[in-house]
Amino acid sequence: MSKKTVADLSASDLSGKRVLVRVDFNVPLDNGSITDDTRIRAALPTIQDLTSKGAKVILTSHFGRPQGQVNESMRLTPVAARLSELLGKPVKKFDDCIGDEVIQGVAELQNGDVALLENVRFYAEEEDNDPEFAKKLASVADLYVNDAFGTAHRAHASTEGVTHYLPSVAGYLIEKELKFLQGAIEEPKRPLAAIVGGSKVSSKIGVIEALLDKCDKLLLGGGMIFTFYKARGLNVGKSLVEEDKLDLARALEAKAKEKGVAFLLPTDVIVADKFAPDAEAKTVSINDIPDGWMGLDIGPDSIKVFQEALGDCKTVIWNGPMGVFEFEKFAAGTKAIALTLADLTKTGTITIIGGGDSVAAVEQLHLGEQMSHISTGGGASLELLEGKVLPGIAALNDK
Ligand code: ADP
Ligand code: MG
């Protein structure tokens, strides 16, 4: 069932109402200055919609891993300053997220004002989802909005606990994530291709299994392919292999066959004599991986085969880089796939990128804007694609 969102609330529902909004302001900070404000910008549509409808907006977020203690370097003060610049109006910053200062400060808010509570993870009760703590957080508001997709897979006090005390709806960011990620697996425009890469099979088993039930084509890259090759009896040299996942690799390949899903493994790879940016590199067929060498990227023939397979697809989900893209010599596979998806987007294919490192690779190539959707939550998007229920979303009111 679809969830109620801020778009369903009118000015008469919101005017004068105190709205607690969970956002993800966990931005990268270097020496006290914000190096990337993408996450703050991503929350603006929800904040601006609420203020324009006369709400008093009370923002709450976590920042870093303070382990339930006040940590001066993890205060949200710089975030409040940047948010204020982006909104073009003052943002009241509180030094706590519950208690008297917050109660008094909220009482002074005018319609359309924006306030930011202190890092909610200064309390261990946040991650413990402590009901009393959640009740205190909720006590200063009339309504709750969750717009923190990146933490929606965690049942914490500010993502799940508070929903027991307040009417609760989704913000625009969560709405967009659900539209693309859920839309792609529940009612995709076909053919649907899934490209799964990254380092290990073990971290992607759930998503591969779930996608095998949904997709028409499965393309694999990254470090995990060598476990599949080894399972087929090929020599993989010093490549990354999970010895305890060989049976699983065989089972996944058999499942693809049984389901009629096209199962594509790279046909050639770039091998290196060591795991380093200055390693010696050469392209070999997957049948000729030399002893002592390790595969760190997919090869040029594989890129062609993948481009051909993707050519007629109407939806493509990509999770996990094709190679060790952090090293220039082994970035070509990831780059080629990113460019291919950007081209497909232009001709109407829905392209969705999930996964922390794959998103970083696409952003590094400045291709983020050219994809249909870049997920803001690595773990959360993976769990959604696996078909898992995200507690922070399940807890919201249905339409
Ligand atoms: P994502 O965050 O997109 O889900 P993962 O975290 O699963 O992706 O994997 C990303 C990592 O996988 C990258 O750091 C990359 O260097 C590594 N990787 C990709 N290909 C290989 C390979 N052939 N051997 C070892 N590591 C690889
Ligand atoms: Mg990762």
Side-chain angles (χ1 to χ4, degrees):
M1 191 179 291
S2 55
K3 295 296 176 184
K4 202 165 177 179
T5 77
V6 284
D8 297 318
L9 302 172
S10 66
S12 62
D13 297 320
L14 288 167
S15 184
K17 294 282 161 52
R18 301 163 302 165
V19 185
L20 180 68
V21 185
R22 176 58 158 100
V23 287
D24 179 359
F25 282 168
N26 189 27
V27 292
L29 207 62
D30 186 21
N31 253 326
S33 70
I34 297 164
T35 52
D36 179 358
D37 63 4
T38 308
R39 287 183 168 160
I40 305 177
R41 290 176 189 275
L44 294 178
T46 294
I47 298 170
Q48 284 167 330
D49 186 51
L50 291 169
T51 55
S52 74
K53 290 174 181 165
K56 302 171 182 177
V57 175
I58 308 154
L59 301 165
T60 176
S61 177
H62 73 286
F63 184 77
R65 297 175 186 271
Q67 316 278 17
Q69 309 228 323
V70 174
N71 181 321
E72 290 303 324
S73 70
M74 296 181 190
R75 290 199 179 272
L76 283 167
T77 316
V79 172
R82 176 61 62 91
L83 176 63
S84 168
E85 278 168 34
L86 292 170
L87 287 171
K89 65 191 219 173
V91 171
K92 289 193 182 165
K93 163 69 181 36
F94 299 133
D95 290 328
D96 205 338
C97 63
I98 53 171
D100 289 342
E101 184 202 342
V102 176
I103 293 168
Q104 279 161 25
V106 168
E108 288 164 15
L109 293 179
Q110 304 295 311
N111 293 4
D113 278 356
V114 178
L116 175 61
L117 304 180
E118 189 53 275
N119 191 346
V120 70
R121 286 196 193 163
F122 283 176
Y123 289 85
E125 291 90 334
E126 160 66 357
E127 291 189 73
D128 294 341
N129 197 4
D130 179 84
E132 280 308 311
F133 178 72
K135 196 173 180 179
K136 283 181 198 158
L137 270 178
S139 69
V140 294
D142 306 299
L143 175 76
Y144 171 71
V145 174
N146 190 356
D147 213 19
F149 182 71
T151 45
H153 59 316
R154 307 271 180 242
H156 293 166
S158 68
T159 62
E160 197 274 342
V162 291
T163 67
H164 297 279
Y165 306 101
L166 293 170
S168 304
V169 307
Y172 288 111
L173 179 62
I174 282 194
E175 187 184 28
K176 180 169 184 258
E177 293 275 5
L178 292 179
K179 180 181 145 209
F180 279 99
L181 293 165
Q182 252 173 9
I185 50 169
E186 281 171 12
E187 39 196 50
K189 290 194 181 140
R190 293 186 182 277
L192 164 64
I195 311 171
V196 183
S199 50
K200 292 179 169 176
V201 195
S202 50
S203 65
K204 301 287 165 83
I205 299 167
V207 77
I208 293 176
E209 280 187 330
L211 289 169
L212 276 176
D213 286 328
K214 313 277 181 187
C215 69
D216 305 296
K217 304 181 190 192
L218 178 66
L219 287 62
L220 297 181
M224 69 171 66
I225 57 176
F226 302 99
T227 301
F228 287 90
Y229 296 140
K230 180 130 196 207
R232 284 178 176 183
L234 295 177
N235 182 28
V236 295
K238 279 200 301 184
S239 307
L240 189 67
V241 168
E242 289 171 274
E243 295 287 347
D244 61 335
K245 295 289 180 288
L246 297 174
D247 286 340
L248 175 89
R250 278 185 280 265
L252 289 173
E253 201 169 341
K255 186 178 174 187
K257 200 168 179 188
E258 181 194 307
K259 299 236 164 217
V261 174
F263 185 87
L264 283 86
L265 282 169
T267 49
D268 60 349
V269 289
I270 316 264
V271 291
D273 60 346
K274 57 180 176 185
F275 188 87
D278 63 345
E280 196 184 317
K282 57 183 180 183
T283 304
V284 297
S285 150
I286 55 149
N287 299 304
D288 306 314
I289 298 177
D291 286 333
W293 291 64
M294 62 185 84
L296 296 186
D297 196 9
I298 63 174
D301 186 65
S302 311
I303 292 172
K304 265 188 220 143
V305 173
F306 280 13
Q307 283 169 334
E308 223 156 276
L310 294 169
D312 67 339
C313 291
K314 294 282 172 283
T315 309
V316 182
I317 302 171
W318 182 18
N319 182 293
M322 295 291 96
V324 182
F325 71 97
E326 297 92 337
F327 301 160
E328 184 62 36
K329 278 190 176 174
F330 309 102
T334 302
K335 189 172 175 180
I337 294 300
L339 286 166
T340 303
L341 296 198
D343 278 343
L344 287 169
T345 317
K346 283 184 200 127
T347 52
T349 298
I350 297 167
T351 52
I352 299 160
I353 324 293
D357 294 289
S358 352
V359 168
V362 169
E363 299 284 12
Q364 210 174 299
L365 295 162
H366 306 288
L367 292 171
E369 299 277 299
Q370 299 189 45
M371 307 296 178
S372 310
H373 182 65
I374 294 266
S375 181
T376 55
S381 68
L382 202 60
E383 291 198 15
L384 203 62
L385 292 175
E386 285 173 26
K388 288 190 187 157
V389 171
L390 308 189
I393 292 172
L396 303 175
N397 300 141
D398 293 320
K399 260 200 207 292

